[in-house]
Amino acid sequence: GDAAIVRLAAPAAGVQPRSINLARRPPLGTRGRIIGYGSTGGPPFRSSDFGVKRDGLVTTAACQESVGNDTHVCWQFDGSDASTCAGDSGGPLLV
């Protein structure tokens, strides 16, 4: 897992800040939306593809054995081509 805190020199246009969920993890089967600004291209990554806001619907699900369910929140696609892209690490899952 990863987390990041970034202090911007100026507000990001069109992006509403969100609170971090400190109450509890979403139960399995919860619908949500992932959002990111990464690159959709595989290696070699296309720098012109970064910085475009993309989002998609997902449902929280059990993690694969290699990823701990006690320390991660995992999800499955909902048929809307939702996934993370290179550069999206730390992007939000909104539920």
Side-chain angles (χ1 to χ4, degrees), residues 20-37:
I20 295 175
N21 174 15
L22 300 175
R24 67 183 180 97
R25 75 177 48 241
L28 298 180
T30 300
R31 297 274 310 206
R33 180 175 301 274
I34 55 174
I35 301 173
Y37 295 85

PDB file of all heavy atoms in Angstrom, residues 20-37:
ATOM      1  N   ILE A  20     -10.396  12.094   4.384  1.00  0.00           N
ATOM      2  CA  ILE A  20      -9.937  10.706   4.458  1.00  0.00           C
ATOM      3  C   ILE A  20     -10.850   9.958   5.411  1.00  0.00           C
ATOM      4  O   ILE A  20     -11.166  10.438   6.506  1.00  0.00           O
ATOM      5  CB  ILE A  20      -8.472  10.643   4.928  1.00  0.00           C
ATOM      6  CG1 ILE A  20      -7.578  11.306   3.882  1.00  0.00           C
ATOM      7  CG2 ILE A  20      -8.052   9.202   5.183  1.00  0.00           C
ATOM      8  CD1 ILE A  20      -6.129  11.400   4.290  1.00  0.00           C
ATOM      9  N   ASN A  21     -11.297   8.772   5.023  1.00  0.00           N
ATOM     10  CA  ASN A  21     -12.171   7.948   5.846  1.00  0.00           C
ATOM     11  C   ASN A  21     -11.363   7.361   7.000  1.00  0.00           C
ATOM     12  O   ASN A  21     -10.500   6.521   6.799  1.00  0.00           O
ATOM     13  CB  ASN A  21     -12.778   6.823   5.009  1.00  0.00           C
ATOM     14  CG  ASN A  21     -13.572   5.843   5.844  1.00  0.00           C
ATOM     15  OD1 ASN A  21     -13.916   6.103   6.985  1.00  0.00           O
ATOM     16  ND2 ASN A  21     -13.874   4.700   5.252  1.00  0.00           N
ATOM     17  N   LEU A  22     -11.644   7.812   8.200  1.00  0.00           N
ATOM     18  CA  LEU A  22     -10.994   7.280   9.392  1.00  0.00           C
ATOM     19  C   LEU A  22     -11.962   6.445  10.231  1.00  0.00           C
ATOM     20  O   LEU A  22     -11.576   5.894  11.260  1.00  0.00           O
ATOM     21  CB  LEU A  22     -10.421   8.423  10.235  1.00  0.00           C
ATOM     22  CG  LEU A  22      -9.366   9.290   9.540  1.00  0.00           C
ATOM     23  CD1 LEU A  22      -8.975  10.462  10.429  1.00  0.00           C
ATOM     24  CD2 LEU A  22      -8.146   8.462   9.162  1.00  0.00           C
ATOM     25  N   ALA A  23     -13.232   6.358   9.805  1.00  0.00           N
ATOM     26  CA  ALA A  23     -14.262   5.674  10.581  1.00  0.00           C
ATOM     27  C   ALA A  23     -14.140   4.151  10.489  1.00  0.00           C
ATOM     28  O   ALA A  23     -14.048   3.466  11.494  1.00  0.00           O
ATOM     29  CB  ALA A  23     -15.648   6.116  10.124  1.00  0.00           C
ATOM     30  N   ARG A  24     -14.142   3.602   9.285  1.00  0.00           N
ATOM     31  CA  ARG A  24     -14.049   2.155   9.091  1.00  0.00           C
ATOM     32  C   ARG A  24     -13.855   1.864   7.615  1.00  0.00           C
ATOM     33  O   ARG A  24     -14.140   2.687   6.759  1.00  0.00           O
ATOM     34  CB  ARG A  24     -15.279   1.436   9.619  1.00  0.00           C
ATOM     35  CG  ARG A  24     -16.555   1.727   8.846  1.00  0.00           C
ATOM     36  CD  ARG A  24     -17.752   1.027   9.475  1.00  0.00           C
ATOM     37  NE  ARG A  24     -18.961   1.322   8.729  1.00  0.00           N
ATOM     38  CZ  ARG A  24     -19.470   0.530   7.799  1.00  0.00           C
ATOM     39  NH1 ARG A  24     -18.895  -0.611   7.498  1.00  0.00           N
ATOM     40  NH2 ARG A  24     -20.571   0.873   7.169  1.00  0.00           N
ATOM     41  N   ARG A  25     -13.380   0.657   7.340  1.00  0.00           N
ATOM     42  CA  ARG A  25     -13.215   0.256   5.945  1.00  0.00           C
ATOM     43  C   ARG A  25     -14.572  -0.094   5.349  1.00  0.00           C
ATOM     44  O   ARG A  25     -15.444  -0.571   6.078  1.00  0.00           O
ATOM     45  CB  ARG A  25     -12.232  -0.894   5.805  1.00  0.00           C
ATOM     46  CG  ARG A  25     -12.747  -2.232   6.232  1.00  0.00           C
ATOM     47  CD  ARG A  25     -11.787  -3.403   6.030  1.00  0.00           C
ATOM     48  NE  ARG A  25     -10.466  -3.129   6.510  1.00  0.00           N
ATOM     49  CZ  ARG A  25      -9.367  -3.123   5.725  1.00  0.00           C
ATOM     50  NH1 ARG A  25      -9.454  -3.408   4.458  1.00  0.00           N
ATOM     51  NH2 ARG A  25      -8.194  -2.857   6.222  1.00  0.00           N
ATOM     52  N   PRO A  26     -14.759   0.150   4.059  1.00  0.00           N
ATOM     53  CA  PRO A  26     -16.045  -0.212   3.450  1.00  0.00           C
ATOM     54  C   PRO A  26     -16.203  -1.731   3.413  1.00  0.00           C
ATOM     55  O   PRO A  26     -15.241  -2.445   3.127  1.00  0.00           O
ATOM     56  CB  PRO A  26     -15.960   0.373   2.040  1.00  0.00           C
ATOM     57  CG  PRO A  26     -14.517   0.593   1.792  1.00  0.00           C
ATOM     58  CD  PRO A  26     -13.848   0.765   3.110  1.00  0.00           C
ATOM     59  N   PRO A  27     -17.388  -2.245   3.714  1.00  0.00           N
ATOM     60  CA  PRO A  27     -17.594  -3.695   3.671  1.00  0.00           C
ATOM     61  C   PRO A  27     -17.480  -4.234   2.248  1.00  0.00           C
ATOM     62  O   PRO A  27     -17.673  -3.496   1.275  1.00  0.00           O
ATOM     63  CB  PRO A  27     -19.009  -3.885   4.206  1.00  0.00           C
ATOM     64  CG  PRO A  27     -19.570  -2.551   4.494  1.00  0.00           C
ATOM     65  CD  PRO A  27     -18.556  -1.514   4.151  1.00  0.00           C
ATOM     66  N   LEU A  28     -17.188  -5.529   2.125  1.00  0.00           N
ATOM     67  CA  LEU A  28     -17.145  -6.170   0.806  1.00  0.00           C
ATOM     68  C   LEU A  28     -18.489  -5.986   0.124  1.00  0.00           C
ATOM     69  O   LEU A  28     -19.534  -6.037   0.763  1.00  0.00           O
ATOM     70  CB  LEU A  28     -16.817  -7.655   0.943  1.00  0.00           C
ATOM     71  CG  LEU A  28     -15.460  -7.987   1.549  1.00  0.00           C
ATOM     72  CD1 LEU A  28     -15.274  -9.499   1.619  1.00  0.00           C
ATOM     73  CD2 LEU A  28     -14.337  -7.346   0.765  1.00  0.00           C
ATOM     74  N   GLY A  29     -18.449  -5.738  -1.166  1.00  0.00           N
ATOM     75  CA  GLY A  29     -19.672  -5.536  -1.938  1.00  0.00           C
ATOM     76  C   GLY A  29     -20.135  -4.101  -2.011  1.00  0.00           C
ATOM     77  O   GLY A  29     -21.178  -3.821  -2.578  1.00  0.00           O
ATOM     78  N   THR A  30     -19.343  -3.164  -1.464  1.00  0.00           N
ATOM     79  CA  THR A  30     -19.705  -1.746  -1.505  1.00  0.00           C
ATOM     80  C   THR A  30     -19.357  -1.165  -2.866  1.00  0.00           C
ATOM     81  O   THR A  30     -18.253  -1.341  -3.362  1.00  0.00           O
ATOM     82  CB  THR A  30     -18.957  -0.963  -0.411  1.00  0.00           C
ATOM     83  OG1 THR A  30     -19.310  -1.511   0.872  1.00  0.00           O
ATOM     84  CG2 THR A  30     -19.301   0.513  -0.447  1.00  0.00           C
ATOM     85  N   ARG A  31     -20.308  -0.475  -3.482  1.00  0.00           N
ATOM     86  CA  ARG A  31     -20.061   0.194  -4.767  1.00  0.00           C
ATOM     87  C   ARG A  31     -19.228   1.440  -4.530  1.00  0.00           C
ATOM     88  O   ARG A  31     -19.396   2.120  -3.522  1.00  0.00           O
ATOM     89  CB  ARG A  31     -21.387   0.576  -5.430  1.00  0.00           C
ATOM     90  CG  ARG A  31     -22.283  -0.572  -5.794  1.00  0.00           C
ATOM     91  CD  ARG A  31     -21.994  -1.152  -7.109  1.00  0.00           C
ATOM     92  NE  ARG A  31     -21.936  -0.078  -8.100  1.00  0.00           N
ATOM     93  CZ  ARG A  31     -22.180  -0.245  -9.378  1.00  0.00           C
ATOM     94  NH1 ARG A  31     -22.501  -1.406  -9.827  1.00  0.00           N
ATOM     95  NH2 ARG A  31     -22.095   0.757 -10.202  1.00  0.00           N
ATOM     96  N   GLY A  32     -18.319   1.734  -5.445  1.00  0.00           N
ATOM     97  CA  GLY A  32     -17.496   2.921  -5.322  1.00  0.00           C
ATOM     98  C   GLY A  32     -17.015   3.408  -6.678  1.00  0.00           C
ATOM     99  O   GLY A  32     -17.336   2.835  -7.719  1.00  0.00           O
ATOM    100  N   ARG A  33     -16.239   4.467  -6.650  1.00  0.00           N
ATOM    101  CA  ARG A  33     -15.682   5.064  -7.870  1.00  0.00           C
ATOM    102  C   ARG A  33     -14.199   5.301  -7.632  1.00  0.00           C
ATOM    103  O   ARG A  33     -13.818   5.846  -6.610  1.00  0.00           O
ATOM    104  CB  ARG A  33     -16.389   6.376  -8.166  1.00  0.00           C
ATOM    105  CG  ARG A  33     -15.884   7.084  -9.422  1.00  0.00           C
ATOM    106  CD  ARG A  33     -16.697   8.328  -9.731  1.00  0.00           C
ATOM    107  NE  ARG A  33     -18.106   8.038  -9.938  1.00  0.00           N
ATOM    108  CZ  ARG A  33     -18.637   7.664 -11.118  1.00  0.00           C
ATOM    109  NH1 ARG A  33     -17.883   7.556 -12.182  1.00  0.00           N
ATOM    110  NH2 ARG A  33     -19.924   7.440 -11.211  1.00  0.00           N
ATOM    111  N   ILE A  34     -13.366   4.866  -8.584  1.00  0.00           N
ATOM    112  CA  ILE A  34     -11.941   5.159  -8.532  1.00  0.00           C
ATOM    113  C   ILE A  34     -11.654   6.310  -9.486  1.00  0.00           C
ATOM    114  O   ILE A  34     -12.316   6.452 -10.513  1.00  0.00           O
ATOM    115  CB  ILE A  34     -11.070   3.929  -8.872  1.00  0.00           C
ATOM    116  CG1 ILE A  34     -11.447   3.337 -10.227  1.00  0.00           C
ATOM    117  CG2 ILE A  34     -11.156   2.899  -7.766  1.00  0.00           C
ATOM    118  CD1 ILE A  34     -10.529   2.218 -10.686  1.00  0.00           C
ATOM    119  N   ILE A  35     -10.693   7.149  -9.105  1.00  0.00           N
ATOM    120  CA  ILE A  35     -10.352   8.322  -9.907  1.00  0.00           C
ATOM    121  C   ILE A  35      -8.842   8.427 -10.000  1.00  0.00           C
ATOM    122  O   ILE A  35      -8.133   8.174  -9.027  1.00  0.00           O
ATOM    123  CB  ILE A  35     -10.911   9.615  -9.275  1.00  0.00           C
ATOM    124  CG1 ILE A  35     -12.435   9.507  -9.143  1.00  0.00           C
ATOM    125  CG2 ILE A  35     -10.528  10.839 -10.094  1.00  0.00           C
ATOM    126  CD1 ILE A  35     -13.061  10.636  -8.384  1.00  0.00           C
ATOM    127  N   GLY A  36      -8.327   8.771 -11.163  1.00  0.00           N
ATOM    128  CA  GLY A  36      -6.888   8.933 -11.319  1.00  0.00           C
ATOM    129  C   GLY A  36      -6.524   9.812 -12.498  1.00  0.00           C
ATOM    130  O   GLY A  36      -7.371  10.168 -13.324  1.00  0.00           O
ATOM    131  N   TYR A  37      -5.254  10.151 -12.546  1.00  0.00           N
ATOM    132  CA  TYR A  37      -4.712  11.026 -13.593  1.00  0.00           C
ATOM    133  C   TYR A  37      -3.502  10.387 -14.269  1.00  0.00           C
ATOM    134  O   TYR A  37      -2.692  11.073 -14.851  1.00  0.00           O
ATOM    135  CB  TYR A  37      -4.290  12.372 -12.981  1.00  0.00           C
ATOM    136  CG  TYR A  37      -5.437  13.167 -12.418  1.00  0.00           C
ATOM    137  CD1 TYR A  37      -5.893  12.951 -11.134  1.00  0.00           C
ATOM    138  CD2 TYR A  37      -6.063  14.127 -13.186  1.00  0.00           C
ATOM    139  CE1 TYR A  37      -6.948  13.684 -10.613  1.00  0.00           C
ATOM    140  CE2 TYR A  37      -7.122  14.862 -12.671  1.00  0.00           C
ATOM    141  CZ  TYR A  37      -7.553  14.635 -11.384  1.00  0.00           C
ATOM    142  OH  TYR A  37      -8.590  15.355 -10.869  1.00  0.00           O
TER     143      TYR A  37
END
